[in-house]
Amino acid sequence: MPKVSARAYSRYSLEAITLLGSLIRAARKERKMTAQELADRAGISRGLLQRIEKGDPKCELGATMEVATLVGVKLFDAEATSLTKHILQTEAKLALLPKSVRKKVKVADDDF
Amino acid sequence: MPKVSARAYSRYSLEAITLLGSLIRAARKERKMTAQELADRAGISRGLLQRIEKGDPKCELGATMEVATLVGVKLFDAEATSLTKHILQTEAKLALLPKSVRKKVKVADDDF
DNA sequence: ATTTAGTGGTTTATATATGGATCATAATGG
DNA sequence: CCATTATGATCCATATATAAACCACTAAAT
């Protein structure tokens, strides 16, 4: 069964994911946690944790975030309470923007 | 087919994911991009983009990161070149840590 | 006011990620 | 040096995320 069309990732995306994985692994070891331990606490299998630490893009966002949180790697280095505030701010900002983005029909793309 | 055991996410994880989604949506609208447009550029379906923007934890990490990158939402606010450096540093740090974490056998858990 | 495009929510079929088991290797602690 | 355990990798069955097509609704733009 030949793979038909893999997904394409930008350089930045791959690097960011790789970095995230490395940070998680480093953090886990600094905390002297076994891969199995961390996997258990996160409620995932050891195999999945391996892939996360390796930087595999094809992992659940939730699982990855959960693991990261458990070892203290925060994407947005802020407390949950602070995040809530941030979310609300963003939502408010969103409310100001048009509900739907309407494209000009005739005019050529002004993208470049 | 009853769902047996859903995955548990910490408060922080869910909030961080929600925030990420909101930031993406806001960024997309600021750039006056259609959901379909962004989905196409990211090589994903519009439905998936909706879930990402909504903050669904069950999405590919790669797809999410890709979309975020496309609209300029950086998890690690740094250039790719800088990320590489950061990765190398982390790897180097990792090399100093023990290859495997060994648990004490007899002694009781010192977790608390 | 009317038209049209964007959005949100479905459903279904398919691709695929995940869990679990297993094996080999490596490296730690005694 | 030895015993033990963490790790890395692979395989398979199954759960599930994804793409695609559809619908209804909303809200831009004329």
Side-chain angles (χ1 to χ4, degrees):
Chain A
M1 208 68 54
K3 185 177 292 188
V4 176
S5 77
R7 193 166 299 184
Y9 300 103
S10 72
R11 174 185 177 80
Y12 179 90
S13 294
L14 289 180
E15 300 228 58
I17 292 174
T18 297
L19 175 57
L20 181 56
S22 296
L23 287 177
I24 289 174
R25 172 163 299 180
R28 172 175 67 81
K29 295 201 171 181
E30 281 178 352
R31 302 195 170 203
K32 304 221 185 303
M33 292 179 73
T34 287
Q36 187 66 60
E37 273 183 336
L38 180 52
D40 288 344
R41 292 201 194 181
I44 66 176
S45 66
R46 188 169 64 92
L48 179 54
L49 175 59
Q50 266 188 77
R51 288 173 42 216
I52 291 176
E53 291 187 347
K54 192 191 225 175
D56 188 335
K58 299 180 175 304
C59 297
E60 267 193 19
L61 173 60
T64 305
M65 188 71 67
E66 193 63 25
V67 168
T69 302
L70 279 173
V71 295
V73 173
K74 305 282 184 69
L75 268 70
F76 306 97
D77 54 348
E79 293 302 317
T81 57
S82 169
L83 277 196
T84 305
K85 220 179 285 179
H86 201 333
I87 290 177
L88 293 180
Q89 290 175 354
T90 308
E91 300 291 2
K93 187 177 179 183
L94 251 168
L96 298 182
L97 295 175
K99 311 284 185 181
S100 65
V101 176
R102 203 60 172 247
K103 285 294 159 183
K104 301 259 186 185
V105 179
K106 283 302 190 58
V107 183
D109 280 349
D110 56 351
D111 274 350
F112 57 103
Chain B
M1 212 67 56
K3 183 177 294 190
V4 175
S5 76
R7 194 165 299 183
Y9 301 101
S10 73
R11 176 186 177 80
Y12 179 90
S13 295
L14 289 179
E15 300 227 57
I17 292 174
T18 298
L19 174 57
L20 181 56
S22 296
L23 287 176
I24 289 174
R25 171 163 297 178
R28 172 175 66 81
K29 294 201 170 179
E30 280 176 355
R31 303 195 171 203
K32 303 223 184 304
M33 292 179 72
T34 286
Q36 187 66 60
E37 272 183 336
L38 180 53
D40 288 344
R41 292 202 193 183
I44 66 177
S45 67
R46 190 169 63 90
L48 178 53
L49 175 59
Q50 267 187 78
R51 287 173 42 216
I52 290 176
E53 293 188 344
K54 192 193 226 175
D56 188 335
K58 299 179 174 305
C59 298
E60 267 194 20
L61 173 61
T64 305
M65 188 72 69
E66 192 64 25
V67 168
T69 302
L70 280 172
V71 295
V73 174
K74 307 281 183 68
L75 266 69
F76 305 98
D77 53 350
E79 293 302 318
T81 59
S82 168
L83 277 197
T84 305
K85 220 178 288 180
H86 201 332
I87 290 177
L88 293 180
Q89 290 175 356
T90 307
E91 300 291 0
K93 187 176 179 184
L94 252 168
L96 300 182
L97 295 175
K99 311 284 185 178
S100 66
V101 176
R102 202 64 172 247
K103 284 295 160 183
K104 302 260 189 186
V105 179
K106 281 303 188 58
V107 184
D109 278 347
D110 56 353
D111 274 346
F112 59 103

